[in-house]
Every structure is written in C-alpha cells, then in structure tokens.
Amino acid sequence: MPPPGVCLNIVEARHKQDGQGSISNPSFLFGQDYLQLKEFCITKRVKFIDNMFPPDMRSIGQGLLSPSHLAHVVWLRPAKIVQNPSFVVREFSRFDFCQGILGNCWFLASIGALTFHDKILMQVVPVKQGFEENYCGLFHFRFWRFGKWVDVVIDDKLPTINGRPIFVQSKKQNEFWPSLLEKAYAKVCGSYADMNAGTLAEAMVDFTGGVHMCIQLSNPPSDLWESMSRAGRFGALMGCSTPKGESPSLSLCPNGLVQGHAYTVTGVIQVMSRGKPVKIVRLWNPWGKGEWNGDWSDQSSIWKTVSPQDREKCLSVAEDGEFWMTLEDLCEFYTELDLCGLNPDFLDEDSSGLWRSSIAEGRWVAGTTAGGCMNNRETFWTNPQFRIKVWKEISTRTAAKNMLVSLMQKPDKRNRRLVQNFHIGFTVFEVKEKDQPHKGKFPASFFSAQKPAAQTKTFINAREVMEFLTLMPGEYVIVPSTFNPNETSSFILTINCRTETLC
C-alpha cells in the first residue's frame, strides 16, 4: 500500500531512484550500451561509428545548411582537427565555448548554468572519458527524458567546414567536450536541425530531471530577489530570455541585448552604491560576446561608486559576453526567469528536505480520455483524474505556497521538430465527503457543481506548464487536460508537496 496521502495512481519518485531509468541505472538510448560497445571496439581495435546517428547529412537535418555549405561538410574526429585533442582542459567553464551557426542558445545557456554545479554536471557528463588510454572514438552523456534518465552514446566524428566544427565553437581549439555534448543532445532530438529554437526550461529539466519554476518578469512577484538568492544558495540552474522582436531572425538592440535570446544567470549580489543597497544580477550571453551597455555594464561609470573590494570582486571588462545589470532592468528587458534544481528545496526558505516528489504518467486518448478543458462540460470528466490529500495546514511562517504541480507532454515522435505540443493545463477541485464517488471517476455532475480550487492561469502550447499552489487541508482531485477535446498525447504529472502538509 502507498503511504498515506500519496496521490491515487501516483508513486513517490524516491521509490524509483535505483530502478531502470534512474541516474544510477540509466536506460540505454536505442539499446546502445556504452561499456559493451567500448569493450568491443577495444578488442577489435576499431574506432566506433554510430549507425544510429551516422556522420552524414541525415544527422545534420533538413533546412539548416544550404546545399552549397552541405557540399563542403566533412566529418572529422578531433585528432584530425587538432594534433593533441582533449576532452576538457583544466576544468569545465562557460567561457570554454560560444554558439555556432545553430540556433540553440537555449541549450548552450543551460550548459553555462550547468558549469557552476559540479554534482549536476557530472551526472550529465560522465568522467573518465577522453582521448588517452583506451580511446576508441566513443563517448557518452546522460539526459533526463520524460521520466527517466537515458545514457546516450555517440562517435566523435564532428561536422566541419575547412577543418573547423560548424556548430558550437570551443575557444580552446583542442577542447571538445562542448561539441561532443551538443552532438549527444542532437542525437536525442533527432538531428542538429531539431535543436533549432527551444526554451531554457526544456534543457534545464533534461540536465537535472529536477524541479522547474518559471517566473514572468513582466509581473514579478514581490519576493523575486529572495527567490533568486535562494536558488543560487541551493545550487539551482538559472536563466532568462529576452522578448522576440518583429523580425524572425535575432536582432541586436541599441542597449546591447539580443532579441528572442536566452542568457544564463551567473551571479546575484547586493552592493552599496552612493550609500544605498543596489541589487544587481550577472548574465552571460552564449554567443561568448555581445553585452548590455546600460547601467552597471562593463564600462559603466557607476562602478566607481562602489567599494574597491566589490569592484575587484565583481567587475570584469573582458569581451566575454558576461555583464551586470540591476534587478529592475532585468525585469524591464527580459520576459521570463527559469529556475531549475535537483529537488524542490530552492522553492522555500528553510525548507531543505521538507519536500516530497510524486509522479504519474497518463495519456489523453481521443474519444475516451481526452475531454478537453472545462469549456467542454459534457466531456471534461472523461479526462484522467488524480486524487491527493492535504492533511495539515501550512504554518504562517512558510508563506502561502505548499505545492508545485507540473504537467509535461510526452512526445511520440523521434524528431523534436515534428512534435506537436497541444495547449495544456490542469484544474484542481476540492472533494467534500458528500462528493465521494462509489467507484471510478467523478462524473460530469461533480464538475458542473464545483468551482475550481486552483488551476493553471492559462492553457499554453508548451512542453510543460506548472503552478505554485496553496491548498488547505482536505481532499482534492487534479484533472490534467488539453484545451480542446479529442487530442491524443501522453503526459507526466509531477507533484512536489511540502511534507509538513503530508499531501
């Protein structure tokens, strides 16, 4: 029997920590076992060639390169590019690389955040692989993909033109971990072209398998600074995005920011300027260049108003894509802030170890379990339903939020660009004792007579939607749904609940 309060048909995530698909026991993408493949290559004295992601045009994908450029692409192993290739030189750093011709700033900005957290980085990038002993042209990386960790093997043949990699660029010509990590994720997505355009949240969750929260900076919460500071202390990944411009292509604004672009949050600090505290945020552009030129930028005279110690600690005038700005400017010029941690501890002050995660997988099937949103009164009740109990009222010390609910669509296509995301959301209803059904689902009459206790603010066309909720003691039913009825898709419902509420 599940422990009291666990959602009906939902298992606690910690029960699956060591099972197939856990970080310690990942699944093999396409059944390719890294250790077996490496032993075979060493025994046979051959270098690995990955037939599941072959070094040819199929892996580059459609529409990314012009025919004239494709004609000049040559796939080379690192030893054919430089004389003494290294997997990593000294240590992993955001300054190791810059974005190539591929529109995957969302992925590279997430890697920039990843380099601050060795524990998470080592999960994604296994150690003890390189170009030295037992090298056989084989590498592997790990990503969390829709409920499970997968180990992804690749060969080290990289697409080049004139002897240089055409996608992510390493600033040290003999360092190849960025190019190989990018190739592994391209394999997961289906091709390099399938990595064009995306969101920080997608890559951050795939790097951590953890808890993600998105904050709309156009209407920031009053505790935004506290949330960012706490996320930094708990080792959460942070990034933010600028609004899209009128042009479909990226354009540089007069203030130095790029429209429709992802940035890594690399620092959060308060300094004294002219006798007053100022909250400033450090950001990094994955282009490896191109910086904000307003207040607190590298050349700003405002730096003369802070102490020499703060100036020495914070200010760098290198053209490396990294810069500072105030929290107010962050909210004015960026649209979203994404926070993602291994666990929910960063969600609340003094809450380390006080959260529990539960997860369920489900599916909407046209004609049976895809009833659409509440606008469809006759069919809404046919959607999957999940029940939870909140046993104890949260204390006033812990603010108002006691539950983070996430709904993620699970694709059924290999190529990321072919995935059709529906507009999704979820609705939460309180269940009174008189409402208890004899068996099975709550009927249409239950939902017709009820007002939602909580719900997503809007149904959006995204891989994942989430809401940070307050639920008082009682029993509830959560109904995930697409906006329109009869849309077939799989989903993952994750509930992160404060243990003091015993939900």
Side-chain angles (χ1 to χ4, degrees), residues 209-223:
V211 178
H212 165 244
M213 184 168 67
C214 181
I215 297 174
Q216 299 299 319
L217 295 176
S218 58
N219 184 27
S222 59
D223 63 345

Side-chain angles (χ1 to χ4, degrees), residues 94-322:
R94 63 196 179 281
F95 300 124
D96 288 347
F97 61 91
C98 55
Q99 187 176 347
I101 66 171
L102 186 57
N104 61 348
C105 59
W106 56 281
F107 175 74
L108 298 177
S110 299
I111 295 178
L114 192 65
T115 59
F116 283 88
H117 308 291
D118 290 344
K119 179 181 177 181
I120 306 175
L121 181 65
M122 293 305 105
Q123 290 184 171
V124 177
V125 185
V127 296
K128 297 182 180 178
Q129 53 180 341
F131 299 93
E132 295 79 34
E133 186 179 0
N134 292 328
Y135 164 73
C136 58
L138 173 66
F139 290 84
H140 71 134
F141 301 86
R142 291 174 183 153
F143 306 106
W144 184 91
R145 296 291 290 173
F146 304 102
K148 65 181 180 181
W149 284 91
V150 293
D151 195 77
V152 181
V153 303
I154 56 168
D155 63 43
D156 62 352
K157 287 197 165 192
L158 299 171
T160 69
I161 293 179
N162 297 325
R164 293 292 300 151
I166 58 178
F167 298 125
V168 68
Q169 305 290 317
S170 292
K171 293 190 175 180
K172 306 181 189 79
Q173 291 192 5
N174 65 326
E175 186 170 51
F176 286 92
W177 74 266
S179 295
L180 296 172
L181 176 58
E182 182 185 57
K183 180 175 182 178
Y185 200 76
K187 179 176 179 177
V188 166
C189 293
S191 72
Y192 282 100
D194 282 282
M195 292 180 70
N196 249 338
T199 64
L200 282 161
E202 184 174 347
M204 286 181 173
V205 171
D206 284 356
F207 288 158
T208 63
V211 178
H212 165 244
M213 184 168 67
C214 181
I215 297 174
Q216 299 299 319
L217 295 176
S218 58
N219 184 27
S222 59
D223 63 345
L224 173 62
W225 181 254
E226 290 74 16
S227 295
M228 296 181 70
S229 300
R230 186 168 58 246
R233 291 196 302 275
F234 280 98
L237 279 61
M238 289 189 281
C240 53
S241 306
T242 54
K244 294 181 180 179
E246 296 180 0
S247 171
S249 59
L250 297 179
S251 58
L252 190 65
C253 299
N255 60 20
L257 299 181
V258 183
Q259 292 183 325
H261 196 46
Y263 291 75
T264 309
V265 175
T266 63
V268 178
I269 194 171
Q270 182 171 280
V271 296
M272 296 297 295
S273 172
R274 301 187 180 99
K276 296 181 180 180
V278 180
K279 299 176 175 66
I280 57 174
V281 179
R282 191 175 64 190
L283 302 164
W284 177 72
N285 180 351
W287 284 2
K289 60 182 180 179
E291 301 179 11
W292 160 256
N293 56 34
D295 289 347
W296 298 96
S297 60
D298 287 3
Q299 305 298 331
S300 172
S301 60
I302 293 182
W303 283 106
K304 296 178 182 178
T305 68
V306 305
S307 69
Q309 293 83 1
D310 282 344
R311 192 160 57 246
E312 174 69 22
K313 179 171 62 175
C314 299
L315 182 59
S316 169
V317 295
E319 177 57 29
D320 53 13
E322 194 164 65

Side-chain angles (χ1 to χ4, degrees), residues 30 116 150 154 262 333 365 372 391 401 429 434 452 456 473 483 496:
F30 305 131
F116 283 88
V150 293
I154 56 168
F333 295 106
V365 179
W391 292 96
K401 310 297 184 181
F429 299 87
K434 65 181 179 62
T456 44
F483 183 79
N496 297 285

